[in-house]
Amino acid sequence: MKVTIIGGSGHIGSYLVPRLVRAGHEVTNISRGTSKPYTDGPEWQQVHQVSADRQQAERDGTFGDRVAGLKPDAVVDLVCFTLESATSLVQRLRGEVGHLLHCGSIWRYGHSLKLPIREGSDSAAEPFGEYGVQKNRIALMLQEETARGGLVTTSLHPGHIVGPGWHPVGPLGNLDPAVWQTLSAGQPLRVPGSGAELMHHVHADDVAQAFEKAIAQREAAAGEDFNIVAPTALTVRGYADIAAAWFGHAAVLETVSWERFREDTSREYAESSWEHLYRSHCFSIEKAASVLGYAPRYEPEQAVFESIQWLIDHGRLHVARPLGVPAG
């Protein structure tokens, strides 16, 4: 099968591209060509690379033509963030491509109401924030497109993506490296809220697995949306306890108000913490497992450990004590 991936050099594509090559697909990667994939391997030598600036091409009205001109059987769009962009691509590929797969986000859901959150249910409130609102609108548009007999589409909605090469969303729901320094040193970590808030991570290779399975099972995946996350979610306190143990400590946590937390934290990190912890997400993967056979290999703490180990080994994260071996 000829598969075109838009944005295949990023977190998900770094794992998805080699998977598809190994499965025997003919793969084309469309990217700006400004970054290298996070994983290296002989599979990349078999990939057709196409350089394109999507935003500029969309302004010129040529991007859809560029994708359609490759004559793919399936298109995987990993870098679409607005309804306008998604709609334009759907209209151009309708009748010419067999399957369009879109990478959404669990932020298509607002704060949790009932757990776990299931697709198509009343488990979560309406989305908020431009990113989540747009991802939800795209998913709904794609479902409607397929339901009315148009282009066959599927949307997959990953959790907080983790993998070697980049910082994971940490125990406080942000990317602040000081959190890891504090935990590694056994110092008190100030935690806003109750500490029972939830975050649902997923390893990038597990997301790639889900896309690969959806491509292989087009009829089953047609018109569907799927939550793609690890088998379990982490609470703030649980995450901190697990992470501190990697450095030989028990976590020392100090509960503070959001007002106090914002006083001691940069605006960027404080806002990220609030956005993650207010949503307090935990998702069901029952639908992806039963329809696609999705079977994530990584528990969230395993994925995070792998990421932290890579960052330390490559001098991208400095901690007070050596990283030990995770329990279990």
Side-chain angles (χ1 to χ4, degrees):
M1 185 184 299
K2 295 177 66 175
V3 181
T4 292
I5 302 178
I6 304 171
S9 300
H11 296 161
I12 301 169
S14 292
Y15 291 90
L16 177 58
V17 168
R19 276 179 167 270
L20 295 178
V21 171
R22 290 194 296 269
H25 298 292
E26 181 182 335
V27 180
T28 296
N29 175 37
I30 300 178
S31 70
R32 290 178 298 177
T34 57
S35 61
K36 294 182 179 180
Y38 291 93
T39 62
D40 194 13
E43 295 90 351
W44 288 95
Q45 301 302 315
Q46 301 179 50
V47 178
H48 179 214
Q49 299 286 352
V50 173
S51 179
D53 183 327
R54 180 176 190 160
Q55 291 185 343
Q56 183 60 52
E58 286 184 334
R59 286 194 292 269
D60 297 341
T62 61
F63 185 71
D65 292 337
R66 192 80 178 271
V67 177
L70 296 169
K71 304 297 183 183
D73 300 300
V75 173
V76 179
D77 193 350
L78 300 177
V79 289
C80 180
F81 306 107
T82 68
L83 178 60
E84 180 182 10
S85 178
T87 301
S88 175
L89 187 62
V90 164
Q91 290 173 345
R92 181 60 184 85
L93 299 185
R94 187 184 295 138
E96 294 198 36
V97 171
H99 194 187
L100 172 65
L101 300 97
H102 169 79
C103 183
S105 168
I106 56 170
W107 279 19
R108 69 170 298 195
Y109 302 97
H111 64 268
S112 59
L113 300 175
K114 295 189 293 184
L115 299 176
I117 297 170
R118 302 179 186 278
E119 301 90 340
S121 71
D122 57 356
S123 303
E126 290 297 310
F128 60 90
E130 186 65 13
Y131 177 76
V133 168
Q134 289 291 330
K135 284 296 188 181
N136 187 54
R137 288 175 177 171
I138 293 169
L140 295 175
M141 179 275 291
L142 294 175
Q143 285 184 310
E144 183 180 351
E145 168 71 18
T146 303
R148 68 186 184 202
L151 181 64
V152 173
T153 68
T154 303
S155 63
L156 284 75
H157 299 273
H160 311 311
I161 300 174
V162 183
W166 65 94
H167 285 262
V169 172
L172 298 187
N174 62 33
L175 301 178
D176 187 356
V179 171
W180 297 101
Q181 174 69 26
T182 299
L183 288 171
S184 69
Q187 298 173 341
L189 180 68
R190 289 177 175 172
V191 175
S194 69
E197 295 86 355
L198 290 153
M199 289 169 281
H200 215 151
H201 294 71
V202 63
H203 195 287
D205 187 52
D206 283 333
V207 182
Q209 174 205 146
F211 272 99
E212 181 183 7
K213 289 181 178 295
I215 290 169
Q217 301 174 79
R218 186 181 74 176
E219 290 188 10
E224 301 291 350
D225 59 341
F226 299 96
N227 300 329
I228 304 299
V229 290
T232 57
L234 293 167
T235 66
V236 171
R237 288 184 175 274
Y239 191 172
D241 284 338
I242 291 169
W246 298 339
F247 301 99
H249 299 296
V252 181
L253 305 179
E254 177 186 348
T255 300
V256 297
S257 68
W258 276 102
E259 290 75 15
R260 177 67 182 279
F261 181 73
R262 291 180 186 277
E263 289 176 1
D264 300 329
T265 307
S266 73
R267 181 175 180 178
E268 176 188 359
Y269 291 143
E271 187 62 23
S272 176
S273 293
W274 184 84
E275 288 184 343
H276 284 88
L277 304 189
Y278 176 72
R279 286 176 170 89
S280 193
H281 282 162
C282 176
F283 293 88
S284 169
I285 57 172
E286 182 181 353
K287 181 179 178 181
S290 62
V291 176
L292 301 178
Y294 172 61
R297 293 175 53 229
Y298 288 84
E299 286 287 341
E301 64 270 26
Q302 294 171 329
V304 172
F305 182 88
E306 187 178 283
S307 174
I308 294 299
Q309 185 174 49
W310 187 97
L311 291 169
I312 294 172
D313 290 346
H314 289 78
R316 300 267 299 275
L317 180 66
H318 300 287
V319 291
R321 294 188 60 176
L323 188 65
V325 178

